[in-house]
Amino acid sequence: MTTSAPPISRHVVFMGVSGCGKSSLGQDVTRQLHMALIEGDDFHSESNRRKMSQGIALNDEDRAGWLAELGEQLRQAPHPVGLTCSALKRSYRERLRQAAPGLRFVFLDLTLEQARERVSTRSAHFFNPALVDSQFATLERPIGENGVLQVDATEAPQALCARVVAWLSA
């Protein structure tokens, strides 16, 4: 017997620094809630991918077109979707909120050391591990912002998924 997932009424962004588990958690949650998942990395320009693979941190100008495209993806989605996006700065999150009023964020929090360890073990990703420090330097934690759930990115995947599903379904 299959059970249907509780419906959610808004889009959700899985956010945090590289290596925090945005894609994994996003896949687990959206699968359970029968939602589509938009992988934010798929929308980086070739220029941005090249910079990141060479260990060159992106700046606000580099991210502007990417954020605009992600906002458009949210705006055009006919049903609630999950989106993976670092959304490191409040201004980036505000751009996404403008595109999708009521947008929620799941902030996967972990330490610099934990992120370095996780990123160093990835093999098939364009993100250069040397950029982890720059992501932490850019990160403006969304503490106190409306519609944000902060979670410990090192928590067991099943527990994280259950917590996020409960929060989104409430």
Side-chain angles (χ1 to χ4, degrees):
M1 177 177 154
T2 57
T3 58
S4 63
I8 69 164
S9 60
R10 291 178 264 179
H11 301 312
V12 59
V13 175
F14 299 91
M15 66 154 293
V17 298
S18 189
C20 71
K22 298 179 288 288
S23 295
S24 297
L25 181 60
Q27 289 169 2
D28 292 347
V29 170
T30 57
R31 185 179 313 113
Q32 188 161 338
L33 293 175
H34 307 289
M35 298 167 62
L37 178 66
I38 300 168
E39 181 60 59
D41 282 347
D42 292 346
F43 294 89
H44 274 296
S45 68
E46 190 55 42
S47 158
N48 282 0
R49 287 174 178 270
R50 195 170 30 258
K51 280 184 170 184
M52 288 186 282
S53 70
Q54 294 170 356
I56 301 168
L58 300 182
N59 59 33
D60 291 350
E61 185 177 316
D62 295 325
R63 289 185 178 107
W66 176 64
L67 289 166
E69 179 58 33
L70 294 180
E72 196 55 33
Q73 292 293 315
L74 292 172
R75 189 180 351 273
Q76 291 181 13
H79 304 288
V81 298
L83 167 68
T84 63
C85 173
S86 55
L88 297 173
K89 289 186 177 182
R90 185 178 190 132
S91 62
Y92 303 165
R93 294 187 292 276
E94 291 304 325
R95 281 192 74 172
L96 295 173
R97 285 180 175 116
Q98 287 173 359
L103 185 62
R104 293 169 140 190
F105 290 84
V106 175
F107 170 45
L108 289 100
D109 199 10
L110 75 171
T111 67
L112 174 61
E113 293 74 25
Q114 292 164 332
R116 281 181 184 152
E117 182 179 330
R118 286 180 173 198
V119 170
S120 70
T121 63
R122 296 195 307 201
S123 58
H125 198 278
F126 60 84
F127 187 85
N128 187 313
L131 293 175
V132 172
D133 288 25
S134 71
Q135 287 215 321
F136 273 86
T138 302
L139 178 64
E140 296 171 0
R141 295 182 180 310
I143 309 308
E145 293 179 24
N146 287 333
V148 175
L149 174 66
Q150 178 181 354
V151 297
D152 179 347
T154 64
E155 193 174 333
Q158 288 180 317
L160 269 177
C161 182
R163 183 170 172 205
V164 173
V165 166
W167 179 70
L168 291 171
S169 302

